[in-house]
Amino acid sequence: MSDDAPLGALPRGTRPGAAERRRLPLTVLTVVILVGCGLLSFTAVTLEIGADGLLWGLLLAAVPVGPVLASVMWLDRHEAEPPHLLAFAFGWGACVATLGALVINTVGGMLLERGGVFTGGIADTSVVLAPVVEEALKGAAVLLVVLVQRRQFDGVVDGIVYAAFAGVGFAFLENVLYLGRALATDDAASLAVVFVLRCIASPFAHPLFTMATGVGLGIAARSSSLPVRLGAPVLGFCVAVCLHALWNASASTGLFLPAYVLLQVPIFAAAVTIALVARVREARLIARHLRVYAATGWLTDGEVRMLTSSAARRQARAWALRAGGRPARTAMAEFQDTAS
């Protein structure tokens, strides 16, 4: 077909808006599921902690959300993920995963206790059942992105980003519940302790656990080996469950502080190292592939250097803003994302 063919001659499904129309039913279904699960989750939390507990819980639980998400988005600067998929991952964690965990942990714990598997102690559910249930539910957000939006999932960095957003969403509503419970005791000291432990000392806990699943799915996405494609996600999920179980065990046994210093801090440092290494590797991959476009004249060598440096990207957007205002800055950001 010639380049000057009329719009009416385009093959079916290639007209502007065709892809959006095909995605509309899935988008509507996704929104309905997220909103429905969110309403049920917030209703269940409100029934337990009351309206005052919900209000204060929302305000305090929101404190770490911004800084944690900003850190994750900085990691993904070379190839920013679509905002609607990031919102989906966060919403899945906050709405679907929390509701599923609330139901399955409660019902599953009761059934296992009646069957004699559990002794009735809180450690049974928090250390044995909850890590498996919650990591499966949070990790499902990343898996759904891989299955439904495969073109938007490129490797380890994407796995880390989507997993972290799902983990932050889950932690947000869970923190609302715990903070509301502390407020219900009418003990300001108890509320302060919960806020410091959950929102200040460990805001990366849930994102960190689920990141292991994201790394596994990211490795699988970049591999052509069937054993790796099947084994990496399973191994990542097992690591996520183990980390989660160790974290809950340290809290339920009164050994939180020693475990935090000797175990969780080194694990967090290792996770940050893995994320930074993956980010550097992604930058190198982008540089290597963009050199082909520079060789053919589509890009200049200076543009390639700019596109592979976060600092240079910021400088380019700042220059565009000064030169042409917000439209120019938006155009520069779109150029950077498209090139990456």
Side-chain angles (χ1 to χ4, degrees), residues 175-235:
N175 286 343
V176 171
L177 178 61
Y178 280 91
L179 290 164
R181 286 174 177 172
L183 182 65
T185 64
D186 293 325
D187 185 355
S190 176
L191 179 62
V193 169
V194 172
F195 176 74
V196 170
L197 290 179
R198 299 190 66 89
C199 299
I200 304 300
S202 57
F204 285 93
H206 272 292
L208 173 62
F209 306 148
T210 314
M211 277 168 52
T213 302
V215 169
L217 288 168
I219 292 173
R222 301 296 300 178
S223 177
S224 59
S225 169
L226 182 60
V228 173
R229 292 172 68 88
L230 296 177
V234 174
L235 179 59

Side-chain angles (χ1 to χ4, degrees), residues 167-323:
V168 173
F170 186 93
F172 170 68
L173 194 57
E174 187 180 65
N175 286 343
V176 171
L177 178 61
Y178 280 91
L179 290 164
R181 286 174 177 172
L183 182 65
T185 64
D186 293 325
D187 185 355
S190 176
L191 179 62
V193 169
V194 172
F195 176 74
V196 170
L197 290 179
R198 299 190 66 89
C199 299
I200 304 300
S202 57
F204 285 93
H206 272 292
L208 173 62
F209 306 148
T210 314
M211 277 168 52
T213 302
V215 169
L217 288 168
I219 292 173
R222 301 296 300 178
S223 177
S224 59
S225 169
L226 182 60
V228 173
R229 292 172 68 88
L230 296 177
V234 174
L235 179 59
F237 173 71
C238 291
V239 171
V241 171
C242 290
L243 292 176
H244 198 153
L246 287 172
W247 176 265
N248 288 356
S250 68
S252 62
T253 58
L255 299 175
F256 177 81
L257 186 58
Y260 183 85
V261 174
L262 299 177
L263 183 63
Q264 298 299 334
V265 171
I267 290 175
F268 177 74
V272 171
T273 301
I274 292 172
L276 292 177
V277 168
R279 186 176 188 267
V280 170
R281 180 179 179 275
E282 184 176 72
R284 290 175 178 171
L285 285 172
I286 291 173
R288 186 174 70 192
H289 288 287
L290 287 183
R291 289 192 189 102
V292 177
Y293 293 90
T296 58
W298 284 35
L299 297 172
T300 66
D301 291 335
E303 287 171 334
V304 172
R305 288 193 296 271
M306 179 269 290
L307 289 166
T308 56
S309 167
S310 296
R313 282 171 173 251
R314 288 194 300 271
Q315 293 170 2
R317 293 194 297 272
W319 169 82
L321 181 63
R322 293 193 302 270

Side-chain angles (χ1 to χ4, degrees), residues 27-54:
T27 301
V28 172
L29 177 62
T30 301
V31 172
V32 170
I33 291 174
L34 293 180
V35 172
C37 290
L39 290 174
L40 291 174
S41 296
F42 277 96
T43 299
V45 170
T46 304
L47 290 175
E48 179 170 348
I49 64 178
D52 288 341
L54 178 67

Side-chain angles (χ1 to χ4, degrees), residues 113-167:
E113 183 179 346
R114 289 181 180 179
V117 179
F118 284 179
T119 61
I122 189 173
D124 287 335
T125 300
S126 65
V127 177
V128 179
L129 180 62
V132 177
V133 172
E134 294 173 10
E135 292 311 317
L137 290 169
K138 289 185 292 176
V142 190
L143 181 60
L144 285 172
V145 173
V146 176
L147 296 177
V148 180
Q149 295 283 343
R150 180 63 183 84
R151 294 182 63 184
Q152 301 295 343
F153 194 92
D154 303 319
V156 172
V157 172
D158 289 359
I160 291 173
V161 170
Y162 288 121
F165 266 72

